[in-house]
């Protein structure tokens, strides 16, 4: 998920922000396609593995910082993980898939 | 049902979102019926002049699938990978088993959408849908004026639609409005958007009429001028900038005024599957107009056969079936030669280029249609509304103008 990488210091997403899945959106695993999806009125998106790993931790309780810590532990070999995670939050928030608590 | 968002525009939205990438799969060429549209009945209390349903729908109103058959179809489609379910018609609420269908859809993990005119939606039913797990309701609206609403639908439904909109909102549903745009409401774009905002719409789709079924019959009467379409789009863009993310506005561009055809259904048999009231399985809304095609039916064979094996679903997959100028066109993957139904309806050859394309040898047919829409004699012909009586005439082969004359508002 290297193309998510942006400079975290430039982001509007803060480490103590907490997000939940947006109203009228649903995040679920799709067995037939072996992928996570976000469903909403009039559309859906399929998420690559990395994006799915971030979204499945968006639960209205974990902070962005918590998600970064967890993913760093889960994927110790990924070097740009913090920027990737911030980038994913940025995009998901921009697209209205998640809402700030 | 109206010219709904469940068609190509929605699929394009999905693909559009995917194309931006950033962790989102650009998985656009696999064939998988992500969208399942259940046209559960062709019966409808409205008589919209722009309906894309087949003019001979009366033939298909008999012999509707049973609740059990619908539930089986939902299960089979889910196994094939369907996620988004549209429950449409006709007016789906004319069936009394939508509640059962909704419950099953929830159980199976669909994201389900009831596409309705609102006629027949009661407090009791919407509560049952909510309890059953229906995800959203798409309501068709027609205009800000009672006159145009009642005229174009040939019914008195204006007040009812406003009540239903409030009911949808009160039950915590996202408000998704679909407005089909034509000559009679295109001048009211700003007011329509203001109405949507006032109703608390989360999404509004402004769907310019596409010409199939009843709308093709009434094309000269419905088609706006190119300048009107451009003005409507300008107003829409302005409104979108003003309202921000609060209300998502989709403007479905009318293909007659484009130089290239739409990538219809995002490709034949790519991501979209329709099961019609009588069980026919179709790759697009109007495919039954195509000649020499035998569409599979869920009564005879399962959906897996329909999607994977049936000659009908395989016929226009890929590019091998194309003719010139498409077959050698460097842009052929952009639009896959456009719409087969439109090609057939306008040129008589289902495999020819969609005449919307300026490279099509038949493009003059589109130019002629645009000219005809400016012809005051043709434009003032009586509109033929979508009624059982008129449909019976089409079935009987009587394509003369019907005698009912509806004065313009």
């Amino acid at each position: 998920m290297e193309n998510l990488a942006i400079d975290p210091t430039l982001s509007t997403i803060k480490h103590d922000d907490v997000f939940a899945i947006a109203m009228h959106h649903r995040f679920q695993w799709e067995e037939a396609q072996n992928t996570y999806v976000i469903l909403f009125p009039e559309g859906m998106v399929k998420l690559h593995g990395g994006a799915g790993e971030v979204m499945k931790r968006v639960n209205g309780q974990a902070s962005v910082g918590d998600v970064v810590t967890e993913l760093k532990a889960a994927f110790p070999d990924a070097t740009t993980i913090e920027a990737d995670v911030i980038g994913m939050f940025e995009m998901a928030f921009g697209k209205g898939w998640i809402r700030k608590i | 049902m109206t010219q709904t968002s469940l068609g190509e525009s929605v699929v394009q939205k999905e693909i559009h979102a995917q194309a931006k990438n950033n962790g989102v799969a650009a998985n656009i060429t696999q064939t998988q019926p992500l969208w399942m549209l259940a046209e559960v009945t062709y019966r409808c209390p409205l008589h919209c002049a722009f309906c894309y349903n087949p003019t001979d729908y009366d033939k298909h109103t008999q012999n509707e699938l049973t609740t059990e058959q619908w539930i089986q179809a939902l299960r089979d489609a889910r196994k094939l990978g369907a996620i988004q379910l549209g429950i449409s018609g006709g007016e789906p609420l004319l069936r009394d088993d939508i509640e059962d269908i909704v419950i099953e859809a929830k159980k199976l993990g669909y994201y389900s959408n009831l596409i309705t005119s609102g006629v027949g939606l009661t407090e009791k039913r919407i509560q049952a849908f909510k309890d059953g797990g229906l995800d959203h309701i798409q309501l068709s609206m027609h205009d800000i004026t009672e006159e145009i609403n009642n005229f174009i639908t040939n019914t008195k439904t204006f007040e009812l639609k406003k009540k239903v909109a409030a009911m949808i909102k009160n039950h915590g549903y996202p408000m998704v409005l679909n407005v089909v745009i034509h000559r009679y409401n295109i001048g009211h774009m700003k007011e329509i958007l203001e109405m949507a905002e006032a109703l608390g719409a989360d999404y509004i789709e402004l769907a310019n009429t596409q010409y199939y079924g009843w709308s093709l019959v009434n094309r000269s009467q419905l088609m706006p001028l190119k300048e009107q379409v451009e003005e409507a789009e300008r107003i829409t863009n302005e409104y979108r900038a003003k309202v921000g993310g609060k209300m998502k506005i989709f403007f479905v561009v009318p293909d007659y005024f484009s130089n290239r055809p739409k990538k219809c259904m995002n490709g034949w048999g790519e991501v979209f599957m329709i099961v019609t009231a009588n069980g026919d399985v179709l790759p697009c809304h109007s495919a039954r107009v195509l000649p020499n095609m035998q569409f599979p039916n869920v009564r005879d064979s399962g959906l897996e056969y329909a999607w994977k094996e049936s000659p009908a679903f395989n016929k226009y997959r890929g590019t091998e079936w194309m003719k010139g100028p498409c077959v050698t066109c460097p842009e052929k993957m952009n639009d896959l030669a456009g719409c087969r139904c439109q090609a057939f309806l306008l040129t008589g050859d289902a495999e020819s280029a969609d005449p919307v394309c300026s490279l099509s040898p038949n493009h003059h047919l589109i130019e002629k249609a645009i000219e005809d829409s400016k012809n005051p004699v043709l434009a003032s012909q009586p509109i033929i509304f979508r009624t059982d009586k008129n449909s019976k005439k089409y079935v009987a082969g009587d394509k003369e103008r019907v005698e009912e004359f509806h004065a313009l508002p």
Side-chain angles (χ1 to χ4, degrees):
Chain A
M1 50 197 260
E2 57 285 348
N3 53 5
L4 291 180
I6 57 164
D7 182 349
T9 59
L10 298 176
S11 174
T12 55
I13 304 289
K14 303 279 170 272
H15 270 70
D16 55 359
D17 286 344
V18 176
F19 290 94
I21 303 294
M23 293 282 281
H24 312 313
H25 284 58
R26 197 202 292 164
F27 171 74
Q28 71 186 34
W29 174 255
E30 274 303 303
E31 195 62 50
Q33 299 166 67
N34 196 31
T35 183
Y36 284 104
V37 295
I38 301 172
L39 298 161
F40 48 90
E42 312 301 293
M44 60 180 156
V45 286
K46 295 183 199 171
L47 300 171
H48 273 317
E53 287 298 324
V54 175
M55 286 298 293
K56 81 178 189 195
R57 290 171 169 80
V58 173
N59 57 11
Q61 290 174 359
S63 69
V64 172
D66 295 340
V67 174
V68 170
T69 309
E70 257 191 58
L71 284 171
K72 270 186 179 162
F75 302 96
D77 298 338
T79 50
T80 62
I81 208 154
E82 180 162 356
D84 291 344
V85 171
I86 301 280
M88 180 61 200
F89 272 103
E90 189 118 292
M91 181 183 72
F93 190 56
K95 287 189 174 294
W97 300 338
I98 56 176
R99 64 190 163 94
K100 215 182 245 188
I101 299 290
Chain B
M1 132 180 221
T2 63
Q3 304 225 349
T4 175
S5 53
L6 253 184
E8 55 278 3
S9 62
V10 172
V11 175
Q12 280 162 4
K13 268 173 241 157
E14 180 215 347
I15 299 311
H16 185 62
Q18 290 182 350
K20 286 190 179 157
N21 208 327
N22 259 9
V24 180
N27 192 1
I28 57 175
T29 51
Q30 70 170 36
T31 64
Q32 192 165 41
L34 301 176
W35 296 82
M36 153 93 160
L37 182 66
E39 286 187 338
V40 294
T41 181
Y42 284 120
R43 292 172 289 139
C44 189
L46 271 65
H47 309 299
C48 302
F50 52 71
C51 185
Y52 72 77
N53 276 174
T55 49
D56 62 356
Y57 75 81
D58 194 65
K59 271 199 305 210
H60 312 298
T61 53
Q62 312 304 318
N63 214 9
E64 283 181 11
L65 295 182
T66 62
T67 311
E68 292 67 36
Q69 286 169 319
W70 276 115
I71 284 175
Q72 192 58 48
L74 257 49
R75 288 177 183 162
D76 292 348
R78 188 77 182 109
K79 275 189 217 140
L80 290 170
I83 312 175
Q84 284 270 6
L85 173 69
I87 303 167
S88 181
E91 172 49 65
L93 293 174
L94 290 184
R95 285 185 65 122
D96 59 12
D97 58 357
I98 302 302
E99 289 80 348
D100 302 321
I101 290 172
V102 160
I103 289 169
E104 183 68 20
K106 172 73 181 178
K107 214 184 286 174
L108 292 167
Y110 279 104
Y111 194 80
S112 57
N113 175 19
L114 177 70
I115 300 165
T116 179
S117 69
V119 178
L121 192 62
T122 58
E123 279 293 338
K124 187 173 168 215
R125 292 198 84 179
I126 198 171
Q127 190 60 54
F129 296 148
K130 192 80 195 172
D131 296 343
L134 179 71
D135 288 293
H136 72 116
I137 299 175
Q138 180 186 299
L139 176 66
S140 63
M141 297 291 277
H142 301 282
D143 196 31
I144 36 123
T145 71
E146 184 157 7
E147 290 75 14
I148 301 292
N149 176 82
N150 293 357
F151 168 67
I152 205 73
T153 64
N154 201 16
T155 54
K156 291 182 178 158
T157 49
F158 185 65
E159 286 304 320
L160 175 130
K161 282 182 180 285
K162 288 201 289 190
K163 272 186 215 148
V164 168
M167 207 190 283
I168 290 171
K169 199 78 189 165
N170 290 342
H171 280 80
Y173 274 114
M175 166 88 71
V176 183
L177 298 181
N178 180 290
V179 185
V180 176
I181 305 299
H182 43 73
R183 177 180 303 172
Y184 295 101
N185 63 7
I186 196 162
H188 303 157
M189 202 59 59
K190 181 157 176 282
E191 291 80 2
I192 288 170
L193 287 162
E194 284 168 352
M195 171 189 73
E197 196 185 351
L199 289 170
D202 299 286
Y203 299 80
I204 178 167
E205 172 149 321
L206 303 165
N208 279 282
T209 304
Q210 305 196 44
Y211 300 100
Y212 302 93
W214 298 88
S215 56
L216 182 59
V217 176
N218 295 308
R219 186 176 64 185
S220 292
Q221 296 94 318
L222 294 173
M223 195 187 297
L225 300 173
K226 187 171 193 201
E227 296 72 35
Q228 290 178 299
V229 173
E230 287 164 356
E231 175 67 0
E233 191 163 16
R234 189 189 64 74
I235 292 170
T236 304
N237 288 338
E238 225 173 76
Y239 209 88
R240 191 185 286 125
K242 193 191 90 171
V243 78
K246 191 173 71 168
M247 178 167 85
K248 288 192 177 142
I249 307 173
F250 301 110
F251 188 85
V252 181
V253 178
D255 57 355
Y256 274 46
F257 296 114
S258 309
N259 291 324
R260 291 290 178 271
K262 57 185 179 269
K263 189 179 183 184
C264 201
M265 313 313 293
N266 201 49
W268 178 273
E270 280 288 318
V271 292
F272 199 86
M273 179 165 71
I274 300 181
V275 179
T276 67
N278 69 342
D280 286 347
V281 190
L282 309 177
C284 83
H285 305 79
S286 71
R288 271 184 300 210
V289 302
L290 297 172
N292 310 318
M293 293 275 269
Q294 185 66 48
F295 288 101
N297 189 291
V298 294
R299 292 176 211 265
D300 309 324
S301 49
L303 287 180
E304 184 169 4
Y305 166 81
W307 185 261
K308 293 182 179 166
E309 313 280 333
S310 72
F313 271 79
N314 284 301
K315 187 154 183 177
Y316 298 124
R317 281 183 171 141
T319 57
E320 282 179 12
W321 55 271
M322 288 179 189
K323 292 182 178 174
C326 303
V327 69
T328 54
C329 181
E331 296 178 45
K332 68 181 170 190
M333 295 312 292
N334 296 349
D335 51 46
L336 296 171
C339 172
R340 295 309 84 224
C341 303
Q342 189 148 277
F344 173 71
L345 287 168
L346 301 186
T347 74
D349 178 359
E351 275 134 51
S352 65
D354 186 330
V356 158
C357 186
S358 62
L359 303 171
S360 159
N362 297 305
H363 186 62
H364 63 276
L365 296 170
I366 297 291
E367 290 167 342
K368 170 94 170 29
I370 293 170
E371 279 311 305
D372 283 352
S373 73
K374 297 179 198 162
N375 179 331
V377 177
L378 292 176
S380 62
Q381 290 294 305
I383 282 177
I384 299 177
F385 290 94
R386 179 204 192 275
T387 63
D388 294 353
K389 197 170 146 195
N390 288 342
S391 183
K392 284 187 171 71
K393 293 194 178 189
Y394 278 103
V395 176
D398 172 13
K399 299 197 177 177
E400 295 300 306
R401 293 276 171 187
V402 291
E403 71 280 1
E404 274 179 86
F405 186 90
H406 294 267
L408 299 180

